[in-house]
Protein backbone atom coordinates (compact mmCIF):
# COMPACT_ATOMS: atom_id res chain seq x y z
CA UNK A 1 0.00 0.00 0.00
CA UNK A 2 1.32 3.39 -0.99
CA UNK A 3 0.00 6.88 -0.24
CA UNK A 4 1.34 10.35 0.44
CA UNK A 5 0.08 10.17 4.01
CA UNK A 6 1.02 7.62 6.66
CA UNK A 7 -2.38 7.80 8.39
CA UNK A 8 -4.13 6.89 5.10
CA UNK A 9 -2.00 3.77 4.76
CA UNK A 10 -2.52 2.73 8.38
CA UNK A 11 -6.27 3.30 8.16
CA UNK A 12 -6.62 1.16 5.03
CA UNK A 13 -4.36 -1.52 6.47
CA UNK A 14 -6.61 -1.75 9.52
CA UNK A 15 -9.65 -2.02 7.28
CA UNK A 16 -7.99 -4.82 5.34
CA UNK A 17 -7.12 -6.70 8.52
CA UNK A 18 -10.73 -6.44 9.71
CA UNK A 19 -11.79 -8.08 6.44
CA UNK A 20 -8.99 -10.65 6.59
CA UNK A 21 -8.25 -11.42 10.28
CA UNK A 22 -5.68 -14.04 9.29
CA UNK A 23 -3.58 -11.37 7.57
CA UNK A 24 -0.29 -10.48 9.21
CA UNK A 25 0.15 -6.74 8.81
CA UNK A 26 3.91 -7.24 8.74
CA UNK A 27 3.49 -9.08 5.44
CA UNK A 28 2.07 -5.96 3.77
CA UNK A 29 4.69 -3.56 2.41
CA UNK A 30 3.75 0.06 3.05
CA UNK A 31 5.05 3.30 1.55
CA UNK A 32 4.27 6.95 2.24
CA UNK A 33 5.65 10.45 2.58
CA UNK A 34 7.13 11.07 -0.84
CA UNK A 35 5.72 11.82 -4.29
CA UNK A 36 7.92 9.11 -5.77
CA UNK A 37 7.36 6.43 -3.12
CA UNK A 38 5.27 4.48 -5.64
CA UNK A 39 8.37 4.02 -7.80
CA UNK A 40 10.18 2.40 -4.87
CA UNK A 41 7.13 0.19 -4.36
CA UNK A 42 7.30 -0.98 -7.97
CA UNK A 43 11.01 -1.78 -7.72
CA UNK A 44 10.87 -3.56 -4.38
CA UNK A 45 7.53 -5.40 -4.51
CA UNK A 46 7.40 -6.05 -8.28
CA UNK A 47 3.60 -6.38 -8.18
CA UNK A 48 1.52 -8.22 -10.76
CA UNK A 49 -0.98 -5.37 -10.89
CA UNK A 50 -1.51 -1.94 -9.38
CA UNK A 51 -4.72 -0.05 -8.59
CA UNK A 52 -4.21 3.68 -9.12
CA UNK A 53 -6.53 5.91 -7.08
CA UNK A 54 -4.83 9.28 -7.07
CA UNK A 55 -5.36 12.83 -8.31
CA UNK A 56 -5.84 13.04 -12.07
CA UNK A 57 -2.38 14.44 -12.85
CA UNK A 58 -0.76 11.23 -11.58
CA UNK A 59 -2.90 8.80 -13.57
CA UNK A 60 -0.82 8.81 -16.77
CA UNK A 61 2.72 8.73 -15.28
CA UNK A 62 1.74 6.06 -12.77
CA UNK A 63 -0.05 3.86 -15.33
CA UNK A 64 2.89 4.12 -17.72
CA UNK A 65 5.42 3.52 -14.93
CA UNK A 66 3.57 0.44 -13.71
CA UNK A 67 3.35 -1.13 -17.18
CA UNK A 68 7.01 -0.42 -17.85
CA UNK A 69 7.83 -2.34 -14.66
CA UNK A 70 5.72 -5.31 -15.77
CA UNK A 71 2.53 -4.65 -13.82
CA UNK A 72 -0.99 -4.38 -15.16
CA UNK A 73 -2.47 -0.95 -14.39
CA UNK A 74 -6.04 -0.36 -13.21
CA UNK A 75 -6.79 3.35 -13.11
CA UNK A 76 -9.55 5.46 -11.61
CA UNK A 77 -11.43 7.73 -14.01
CA UNK A 78 -10.46 9.54 -16.17
CA UNK A 79 -7.60 7.55 -17.67
CA UNK A 80 -5.71 10.78 -18.41
CA UNK A 81 -6.49 14.43 -19.06
CA UNK A 82 -4.69 15.07 -22.37
CA UNK A 83 -4.73 13.38 -25.75
CA UNK A 84 -0.93 13.21 -25.65
CA UNK A 85 -1.00 11.24 -22.38
CA UNK A 86 -3.77 8.97 -23.65
CA UNK A 87 -1.65 8.07 -26.68
CA UNK A 88 1.34 7.43 -24.40
CA UNK A 89 -0.74 5.03 -22.28
CA UNK A 90 -2.02 3.15 -25.34
CA UNK A 91 1.48 2.93 -26.83
CA UNK A 92 2.96 1.66 -23.56
CA UNK A 93 0.22 -0.94 -23.12
CA UNK A 94 0.84 -2.27 -26.62
CA UNK A 95 4.63 -2.20 -26.21
CA UNK A 96 4.69 -3.93 -22.82
CA UNK A 97 1.68 -6.20 -23.49
CA UNK A 98 0.23 -5.18 -20.13
CA UNK A 99 -3.41 -4.37 -19.48
CA UNK A 100 -4.34 -0.80 -18.67
CA UNK A 101 -8.01 -0.59 -17.72
CA UNK A 102 -9.81 2.56 -16.69
CA UNK A 103 -12.07 1.35 -13.90
CA UNK A 104 -15.44 2.72 -15.01
CA UNK A 105 -17.45 1.18 -12.20
CA UNK A 106 -20.77 2.61 -13.41
CA UNK A 107 -20.76 0.05 -16.23
CA UNK A 108 -21.44 -2.53 -13.52
CA UNK A 109 -24.49 -0.83 -11.99
CA UNK A 110 -27.72 -2.83 -11.99
CA UNK A 111 -29.57 -0.61 -14.46
CA UNK A 112 -26.56 -0.23 -16.73
CA UNK A 113 -26.17 -4.01 -16.88
CA UNK A 114 -29.93 -4.37 -17.43
CA UNK A 115 -29.85 -1.89 -20.32
CA UNK A 116 -26.82 -3.60 -21.86
CA UNK A 117 -28.66 -6.92 -21.75
CA UNK A 118 -31.80 -5.39 -23.30
CA UNK A 119 -29.77 -3.72 -26.07
CA UNK A 120 -27.94 -6.95 -26.88
CA UNK A 121 -31.28 -8.73 -27.21
CA UNK A 122 -32.57 -6.09 -29.64
CA UNK A 123 -35.32 -5.06 -27.25
CA UNK A 124 -35.41 -1.44 -28.48
CA UNK A 125 -34.35 -2.14 -32.06
CA UNK A 126 -31.52 -0.37 -33.83
CA UNK A 127 -29.75 2.10 -31.54
CA UNK A 128 -29.82 5.73 -32.70
CA UNK A 129 -29.12 8.16 -29.88
CA UNK A 130 -27.84 8.26 -26.29
CA UNK A 131 -27.67 10.76 -23.46
CA UNK A 132 -25.04 10.62 -20.74
CA UNK A 133 -24.16 12.92 -17.86
CA UNK A 134 -22.36 13.49 -14.62
CA UNK A 135 -24.55 15.98 -12.77
CA UNK A 136 -23.32 15.96 -9.18
CA UNK A 137 -23.18 19.07 -6.98
CA UNK A 138 -19.80 18.90 -5.23
CA UNK A 139 -19.19 22.45 -4.01
CA UNK A 140 -18.79 21.08 -0.48
CA UNK A 141 -15.44 19.60 -1.52
CA UNK A 142 -13.99 23.12 -1.50
CA UNK A 143 -13.82 22.70 2.29
CA UNK A 144 -11.05 20.15 1.67
CA UNK A 145 -8.39 22.82 1.51
CA UNK A 146 -5.14 20.98 2.20
CA UNK A 147 -5.96 17.28 1.78
CA UNK A 148 -8.74 15.43 0.03
CA UNK A 149 -10.32 15.68 -3.39
CA UNK A 150 -11.22 19.35 -3.15
CA UNK A 151 -7.62 20.35 -2.42
CA UNK A 152 -6.61 19.56 -6.01
CA UNK A 153 -9.89 19.29 -7.91
CA UNK A 154 -10.87 22.90 -7.13
CA UNK A 155 -7.98 24.08 -9.32
CA UNK A 156 -9.42 22.09 -12.23
CA UNK A 157 -12.69 24.02 -11.89
CA UNK A 158 -10.70 27.24 -12.03
CA UNK A 159 -8.26 26.49 -14.82
CA UNK A 160 -9.91 23.68 -16.81
CA UNK A 161 -12.23 23.87 -19.79
CA UNK A 162 -15.10 21.79 -21.04
CA UNK A 163 -16.20 18.46 -19.53
CA UNK A 164 -13.82 17.51 -16.74
CA UNK A 165 -15.44 14.16 -15.87
CA UNK A 166 -17.16 12.52 -18.85
CA UNK A 167 -16.88 8.78 -18.38
CA UNK A 168 -19.47 7.84 -15.72
CA UNK A 169 -22.32 8.60 -18.09
CA UNK A 170 -20.52 7.90 -21.36
CA UNK A 171 -18.99 4.50 -20.58
CA UNK A 172 -22.26 2.56 -20.34
CA UNK A 173 -23.95 4.10 -23.40
CA UNK A 174 -20.78 3.61 -25.46
CA UNK A 175 -20.90 -0.10 -24.68
CA UNK A 176 -24.63 -0.29 -25.44
CA UNK A 177 -23.75 1.09 -28.89
CA UNK A 178 -20.68 -1.15 -29.37
CA UNK A 179 -18.49 1.90 -29.96
CA UNK A 180 -14.87 0.96 -30.74
CA UNK A 181 -16.05 -2.64 -31.03
CA UNK A 182 -16.84 -3.84 -34.58
CA UNK A 183 -20.06 -1.91 -35.10
CA UNK A 184 -19.19 1.79 -34.87
CA UNK A 185 -16.78 4.24 -33.28
CA UNK A 186 -16.43 7.86 -32.25
CA UNK A 187 -16.05 10.45 -34.99
CA UNK A 188 -16.47 14.11 -33.98
CA UNK A 189 -17.38 16.26 -30.98
CA UNK A 190 -18.69 19.78 -30.51
CA UNK A 191 -18.93 21.36 -27.08
CA UNK A 192 -20.25 24.47 -25.34
CA UNK A 193 -20.08 25.65 -21.72
CA UNK A 194 -22.30 28.00 -19.77
CA UNK A 195 -20.88 31.07 -17.99
CA UNK A 196 -18.83 30.30 -14.88
CA UNK A 197 -20.75 31.65 -11.88
CA UNK A 198 -21.40 29.06 -9.19
CA UNK A 199 -17.90 28.35 -7.84
CA UNK A 200 -16.94 32.02 -7.62
CA UNK A 201 -20.18 32.79 -5.79
CA UNK A 202 -19.74 29.81 -3.45
CA UNK A 203 -16.19 30.89 -2.58
CA UNK A 204 -17.30 34.46 -1.91
CA UNK A 205 -20.16 33.38 0.35
CA UNK A 206 -18.32 30.65 2.30
CA UNK A 207 -14.68 31.69 2.62
CA UNK A 208 -12.90 34.84 3.83
CA UNK A 209 -12.04 37.46 1.17
CA UNK A 210 -8.32 36.68 1.46
CA UNK A 211 -8.82 32.89 1.22
CA UNK A 212 -6.98 31.14 -1.62
CA UNK A 213 -10.25 30.08 -3.27
CA UNK A 214 -11.21 33.76 -3.54
CA UNK A 215 -7.94 34.47 -5.30
CA UNK A 216 -8.84 32.09 -8.13
CA UNK A 217 -10.57 33.18 -11.31
CA UNK A 218 -12.96 30.28 -11.98
CA UNK A 219 -13.02 30.05 -15.78
CA UNK A 220 -14.74 26.75 -16.52
CA UNK A 221 -18.47 27.00 -17.15
CA UNK A 222 -20.86 25.62 -14.53
CA UNK A 223 -22.38 23.19 -17.06
CA UNK A 224 -20.87 21.78 -20.21
CA UNK A 225 -22.84 20.15 -23.01
CA UNK A 226 -21.09 18.16 -25.72
CA UNK A 227 -22.53 16.37 -28.74
CA UNK A 228 -20.73 13.39 -30.24
CA UNK A 229 -21.30 12.07 -33.74
CA UNK A 230 -20.30 8.48 -34.46
CA UNK A 231 -19.06 7.18 -37.79
CA UNK A 232 -22.51 5.74 -38.47
CA UNK A 233 -24.08 9.12 -37.76
CA UNK A 234 -25.53 8.21 -34.37
CA UNK A 235 -25.53 10.91 -31.68
CA UNK A 236 -24.61 11.12 -28.00
CA UNK A 237 -25.29 14.11 -25.77
CA UNK A 238 -22.88 14.32 -22.82
CA UNK A 239 -23.31 16.79 -19.95
CA UNK A 240 -21.18 17.68 -16.93
CA UNK A 241 -22.04 19.89 -13.96
CA UNK A 242 -20.52 19.62 -10.48
CA UNK A 243 -21.61 23.07 -9.35
CA UNK A 244 -25.33 23.75 -9.82
CA UNK A 245 -27.92 23.07 -7.07
CA UNK A 246 -29.80 20.15 -8.60
CA UNK A 247 -30.27 16.41 -7.94
CA UNK A 248 -27.72 13.84 -9.03
CA UNK A 249 -28.16 12.23 -12.45
CA UNK A 250 -26.21 10.35 -15.10
CA UNK A 251 -29.11 10.47 -17.61
CA UNK A 252 -28.26 6.96 -18.91
CA UNK A 253 -30.61 7.17 -21.89
CA UNK A 254 -30.46 4.97 -24.96
CA UNK A 255 -32.96 5.40 -27.79
CA UNK A 256 -33.69 2.92 -30.54
CA UNK A 257 -36.09 2.38 -33.41
CA UNK A 258 -38.45 0.37 -31.17
CA UNK A 259 -38.21 2.18 -27.85
CA UNK A 260 -36.19 4.01 -25.22
CA UNK A 261 -34.44 3.05 -21.98
CA UNK A 262 -33.79 5.92 -19.58
CA UNK A 263 -32.45 6.54 -16.10
CA UNK A 264 -33.00 8.80 -13.07
CA UNK A 265 -35.62 7.55 -12.54
CA UNK A 266 -35.28 4.25 -14.38
CA UNK A 267 -38.02 3.93 -16.99
CA UNK A 268 -38.75 2.12 -20.23
CA UNK A 269 -40.97 2.89 -23.21
CA UNK A 270 -41.55 0.52 -26.12
CA UNK A 271 -43.50 0.76 -29.35
CA UNK A 272 -46.70 -1.23 -28.95
CA UNK A 273 -46.29 -1.06 -25.18
CA UNK A 274 -44.55 -3.32 -22.70
CA UNK A 275 -46.45 -6.57 -22.55
CA UNK A 276 -48.90 -6.70 -19.68
CA UNK A 277 -48.06 -3.21 -18.44
CA UNK A 278 -48.65 -0.44 -21.02
CA UNK A 279 -50.70 -0.18 -24.19
CA UNK A 280 -48.31 2.02 -26.18
CA UNK A 281 -45.09 4.04 -26.04
CA UNK A 282 -46.74 7.20 -24.71
CA UNK A 283 -46.39 6.04 -21.12
CA UNK A 284 -43.25 5.06 -19.23
CA UNK A 285 -42.94 1.79 -17.38
CA UNK A 286 -41.31 2.77 -14.10
CA UNK A 287 -41.31 2.25 -10.36
CA UNK A 288 -42.97 -0.93 -9.14
CA UNK A 289 -44.06 -1.78 -12.68
CA UNK A 290 -40.41 -2.53 -13.57
CA UNK A 291 -40.29 -5.60 -11.32
CA UNK A 292 -41.26 -8.05 -14.06
CA UNK A 293 -38.65 -6.60 -16.44
CA UNK A 294 -35.93 -6.86 -13.80
CA UNK A 295 -36.94 -10.45 -13.17
CA UNK A 296 -36.75 -11.32 -16.85
CA UNK A 297 -33.82 -9.19 -18.05
CA UNK A 298 -31.49 -8.59 -15.10
CA UNK A 299 -27.93 -9.23 -16.25
CA UNK A 300 -26.59 -12.68 -15.26
CA UNK A 301 -23.63 -11.07 -13.45
CA UNK A 302 -25.97 -9.03 -11.29
CA UNK A 303 -28.12 -12.06 -10.52
CA UNK A 304 -25.09 -14.08 -9.51
CA UNK A 305 -23.11 -11.49 -7.56
CA UNK A 306 -25.52 -8.96 -6.08
CA UNK A 307 -26.05 -10.75 -2.78
CA UNK A 308 -22.31 -10.85 -2.09
CA UNK A 309 -21.30 -7.46 -3.53
CA UNK A 310 -24.19 -5.15 -2.60
CA UNK A 311 -22.21 -3.62 0.28
CA UNK A 312 -18.96 -3.26 -1.68
CA UNK A 313 -19.48 0.37 -2.71
CA UNK A 314 -21.74 2.38 -5.01
CA UNK A 315 -24.60 -0.05 -4.56
CA UNK A 316 -22.51 -3.11 -5.40
CA UNK A 317 -21.10 -2.03 -8.75
CA UNK A 318 -17.57 -1.81 -7.30
CA UNK A 319 -17.64 -5.42 -6.17
CA UNK A 320 -18.91 -6.73 -9.49
CA UNK A 321 -16.18 -4.77 -11.29
CA UNK A 322 -13.46 -6.16 -9.04
CA UNK A 323 -14.81 -9.69 -9.43
CA UNK A 324 -14.64 -9.37 -13.21
CA UNK A 325 -11.13 -7.91 -13.17
CA UNK A 326 -9.82 -10.86 -11.17
CA UNK A 327 -11.85 -13.41 -13.15
CA UNK A 328 -10.61 -12.11 -16.50
CA UNK A 329 -6.98 -12.06 -15.38
CA UNK A 330 -7.15 -15.53 -13.85
CA UNK A 331 -8.82 -17.04 -16.92
CA UNK A 332 -6.84 -15.13 -19.55
CA UNK A 333 -9.95 -13.38 -20.90
CA UNK A 334 -10.15 -9.95 -22.51
CA UNK A 335 -11.11 -7.32 -19.96
CA UNK A 336 -14.62 -5.91 -20.10
CA UNK A 337 -13.10 -2.47 -20.73
CA UNK A 338 -9.96 -2.34 -22.84
CA UNK A 339 -7.33 0.40 -22.91
CA UNK A 340 -8.77 1.86 -26.12
CA UNK A 341 -12.22 2.36 -24.59
CA UNK A 342 -10.66 4.07 -21.59
CA UNK A 343 -8.74 6.38 -23.90
CA UNK A 344 -11.72 7.19 -26.13
CA UNK A 345 -14.11 7.88 -23.26
CA UNK A 346 -11.52 10.03 -21.48
CA UNK A 347 -10.71 11.92 -24.68
CA UNK A 348 -14.03 13.76 -24.35
CA UNK A 349 -12.31 15.84 -21.65
CA UNK A 350 -9.53 17.46 -23.72
CA UNK A 351 -11.58 17.45 -26.94
CA UNK A 352 -14.44 19.31 -25.26
CA UNK A 353 -11.93 21.84 -23.92
CA UNK A 354 -10.55 22.41 -27.42
CA UNK A 355 -14.04 22.82 -28.84
CA UNK A 356 -15.05 25.30 -26.13
CA UNK A 357 -11.85 27.28 -26.74
CA UNK A 358 -12.60 27.45 -30.47
CA UNK A 359 -16.24 28.56 -30.00
CA UNK A 360 -17.70 25.13 -30.66
CA UNK A 361 -15.61 24.03 -33.61
CA UNK A 362 -15.83 20.24 -34.24
CA UNK A 363 -12.97 18.13 -32.92
CA UNK A 364 -11.98 14.79 -34.46
CA UNK A 365 -11.54 11.79 -32.17
CA UNK A 366 -8.18 10.05 -32.45
CA UNK A 367 -8.46 6.40 -33.41
CA UNK A 368 -6.45 4.94 -30.55
CA UNK A 369 -7.15 1.44 -31.96
CA UNK A 370 -5.45 2.27 -35.28
CA UNK A 371 -8.35 0.69 -37.11
CA UNK A 372 -8.53 -2.44 -34.96
CA UNK A 373 -11.95 -1.48 -33.55
CA UNK A 374 -13.36 -3.05 -36.72
CA UNK A 375 -12.27 -6.51 -35.55
CA UNK A 376 -12.75 -6.09 -31.80
CA UNK A 377 -15.65 -8.23 -30.63
CA UNK A 378 -18.55 -6.58 -28.78
CA UNK A 379 -18.71 -7.03 -25.01
CA UNK A 380 -20.61 -10.24 -24.40
CA UNK A 381 -23.36 -10.79 -21.86
CA UNK A 382 -21.10 -12.94 -19.72
CA UNK A 383 -22.85 -15.51 -17.59
Amino acid sequence: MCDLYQDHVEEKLSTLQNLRPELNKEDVKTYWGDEDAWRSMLDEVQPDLVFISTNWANHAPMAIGCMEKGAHAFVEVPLATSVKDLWAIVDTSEKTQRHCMMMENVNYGRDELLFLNLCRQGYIGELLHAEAAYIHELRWQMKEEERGTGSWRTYHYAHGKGNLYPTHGLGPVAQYMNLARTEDTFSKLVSFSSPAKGRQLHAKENFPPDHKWNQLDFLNGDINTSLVKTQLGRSIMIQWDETSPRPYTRHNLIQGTLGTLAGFPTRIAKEGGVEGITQDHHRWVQGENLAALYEKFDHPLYKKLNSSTKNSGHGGMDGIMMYRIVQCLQQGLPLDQNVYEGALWSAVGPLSAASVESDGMPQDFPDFTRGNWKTTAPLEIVS
Side-chain angles (χ1 to χ4, degrees), residues 171-203:
V173 302
Q175 289 201 327
Y176 305 158
M177 288 181 156
N178 280 332
L179 298 185
R181 287 175 175 265
T182 304
E183 188 172 341
D184 195 6
T185 196
F186 296 82
S187 178
K188 297 179 183 296
L189 173 148
V190 296
S191 187
F192 297 93
S193 291
S194 75
K197 299 291 184 180
R199 292 276 167 171
Q200 205 87 56
L201 180 63
H202 187 79

Side-chain angles (χ1 to χ4, degrees), residues 87-98:
W87 269 118
I89 288 171
V90 168
D91 290 343
T92 304
S93 180
E94 292 182 342
K95 178 181 178 181
T96 62
Q97 289 295 286
R98 289 297 179 268

Side-chain angles (χ1 to χ4, degrees), residues 113 116-118 120-121 298-301 378-383:
L113 289 172
L116 178 66
N117 196 17
L118 287 166
R120 288 293 184 274
Q121 295 194 34
D298 255 337
H299 194 290
L301 277 177
L379 179 63
E380 296 180 354
I381 302 298
V382 292
S383 58

Side-chain angles (χ1 to χ4, degrees), residues 187-191 227 351 354-355 358-365:
S187 178
K188 297 179 183 296
L189 173 148
V190 296
S191 187
L227 185 64
L351 294 182
S355 184
S358 60
D359 197 27
M361 289 295 292
Q363 305 295 311
D364 292 327
F365 275 85

